Amino acid sequence: MYDVDVSALQAVLMAVAVDGTALHQAANEARAGGDEAAGQFGTAEGVAEAFGVFWAPRDDLGQRVASLVFRKADAVAEAAQAFVEADGEMSSTALRSLAEIHTGYAPPVSRPRPGTPVE
């Protein structure tokens, strides 16, 4: 049988969720800051355009990373739940199978020995 410490695993996943939430909030702030910076170039249109070209493919990077953290934590939680359920099913099946095996004493079947006449 596997020994999955569900409460410890749950504690780790909760810590990951807290960190993932903080990461998501920081990503939102970074995105807002970048968007705000894009509008701060005034009449320097060339600089504003260059910053826009730089910023556009990166503005959601933090959200993508936070999403990845949550998806990975969810995958670990699902896998752990599957292991716990499978372990319970295997234990139940093994116990049922063992209960069906007759292990009580039964006297040996009388069989004639070779070379002994049968009566």
Side-chain angles (χ1 to χ4, degrees), residues 11-56:
V12 168
L13 291 174
M14 291 299 292
V16 169
V18 168
D19 291 342
T21 300
L23 176 61
H24 182 71
Q25 290 171 345
N28 286 339
E29 291 170 10
R31 184 177 201 170
D35 292 344
E36 184 179 332
Q40 299 298 317
F41 293 104
T43 59
E45 293 175 13
V47 176
E49 185 179 331
F51 182 80
V53 169
F54 164 79
W55 183 243

Side-chain angles (χ1 to χ4, degrees), residues 51-117:
F51 182 80
V53 169
F54 164 79
W55 183 243
R58 294 166 179 81
D59 68 348
D60 68 340
L61 179 63
Q63 285 91 354
R64 288 185 283 155
V65 171
S67 178
L68 180 63
V69 167
F70 285 115
R71 286 196 313 265
K72 298 299 181 183
D74 188 51
V76 169
E78 286 182 21
Q81 183 177 355
F83 280 122
V84 169
E85 288 174 7
D87 187 46
E89 288 176 20
M90 287 187 291
S91 295
S92 296
T93 301
L95 290 173
R96 279 194 310 274
S97 296
L98 290 174
E100 293 173 3
I101 298 172
H102 182 65
T103 57
Y105 173 77
V109 177
S110 176
R111 297 186 184 133
R113 295 174 60 171
T116 305

